[in-house]
Amino acid sequence: GQNIDQPTEMTATEGAIVQINCTYQTSGFNGLFWYQQHAGEAPTFLSYNVLDGLEEKGRFSSFLSRSKGYSYLLLKELQMKDSASYLCAVMDSNYQLIWGAGTKLIIKP
Amino acid sequence: IAGITQAPTSQILAAGRRMTLRCTQDMRHNAMYWYRQDLGLGLRLIHYSNTAGTTGKGEVPDGYSVSRANTDDFPLTLASAVPSQTSVYFCASSDLAATSYNEQFFGPGTRLTVL
């Protein structure tokens, strides 16, 4: 079956760095996405990886290892507004997104 | 530009009633999707449409139907609502041809409670 695993909840301190991991097993692979979702709101796109390596976009970076079925989202210089859920999703062989349950990130002052 | 709109924002519905959730996008995206989001679970695909006039079943299609008469609209119908359909429903769209990675844009969601 298809499976996306990520931690349920993480806590970090304002100004610090946090890494949110995602492991996946899917039928086919056409890229991995990270979305951010604030409570009560819609998911919004953060990043996309299809080749191995690190993609950097401002304070956020995303890493992919296809051989290990592994990705992480790295958030630097954490701000209170980064408190949200972070959703990992893999595009399978049918070009449909398979979603993880999301990681709720709590930022403390 | 509104992007994607959904209506209603929230609804309380008696079991057995019929309900249509509306979704409209003004980005001229060819693909549209309906997901449900439940606590502790990832977004689950209900139905999708890759282009006007075609639809497909997702992971959890039972009890739901969709239509895609034109590019902009993609309504989701619950023929006879049951309490297990209590959820937050998100509509999304993407332009399959424009990019190599099919980024999906989401509407604000409809919170549905079936009693």
Side-chain angles (χ1 to χ4, degrees):
Chain A
Q2 307 201 96
N3 196 47
I4 311 284
D5 285 319
Q6 47 181 135
T8 302
E9 186 174 297
M10 299 182 70
T11 302
T13 304
E14 189 177 16
I17 298 173
V18 70
Q19 177 175 311
I20 302 173
N21 295 325
C22 171
T23 58
Y24 63 89
Q25 287 182 302
T26 57
S27 56
F29 179 85
N30 284 298
L32 186 144
F33 294 75
W34 285 96
Y35 277 75
Q36 181 190 58
Q37 185 177 25
H38 286 100
E41 298 183 8
T44 55
F45 171 78
L46 283 179
S47 69
Y48 170 76
N49 295 68
V50 67
L51 300 176
D52 290 352
L54 188 69
E55 294 281 343
E56 298 186 81
K57 191 185 293 185
R59 294 189 298 115
F60 292 6
S61 303
S62 56
F63 172 83
L64 175 67
S65 168
R66 289 171 297 171
S67 63
K68 296 182 179 178
Y70 168 70
S71 173
Y72 67 73
L73 180 69
L74 191 72
L75 292 74
K76 303 176 185 177
E77 302 169 15
L78 286 170
Q79 302 175 10
M80 297 304 294
K81 68 178 182 179
D82 297 329
S83 292
S85 289
Y86 291 86
L87 313 181
C88 175
V90 172
M91 184 168 289
D92 69 8
S93 56
N94 294 319
Y95 292 91
Q96 300 296 347
L97 286 179
I98 310 300
W99 296 82
T103 298
K104 182 177 181 180
L105 178 63
I106 299 168
I107 310 296
K108 296 186 174 180
Chain B
I1 296 177
I4 301 181
T5 58
Q6 293 184 234
T9 302
S10 65
Q11 181 76 45
I12 298 174
L13 189 66
R17 297 296 294 268
R18 180 183 179 90
M19 176 74 191
T20 295
L21 308 186
R22 300 185 298 280
C23 175
T24 300
Q25 54 104 358
D26 63 4
M27 297 177 283
R28 307 304 293 172
H29 285 170
N30 46 15
M32 297 186 75
Y33 314 86
W34 274 106
Y35 292 96
R36 59 177 291 172
Q37 187 175 41
D38 302 291
L39 197 63
L41 300 176
L43 288 161
R44 292 184 291 170
L45 184 65
I46 303 171
H47 285 286
Y48 66 93
S49 169
N50 286 338
T51 189
T54 68
T55 62
K57 294 182 179 180
E59 179 186 354
V60 288
D62 294 344
Y64 306 94
S65 63
V66 292
S67 62
R68 187 87 185 278
N70 57 60
T71 299
D72 299 343
D73 301 300
F74 192 42
L76 176 74
T77 297
L78 289 67
S80 179
V82 295
S84 62
Q85 292 178 310
T86 294
S87 187
V88 179
Y89 291 85
F90 286 103
C91 179
S93 72
S94 68
D95 189 344
L96 292 177
T99 68
S100 62
Y101 56 83
N102 190 25
E103 175 190 347
Q104 294 186 11
F105 296 83
F106 284 80
T110 293
R111 184 174 297 273
L112 182 68
T113 302
V114 182
L115 301 176

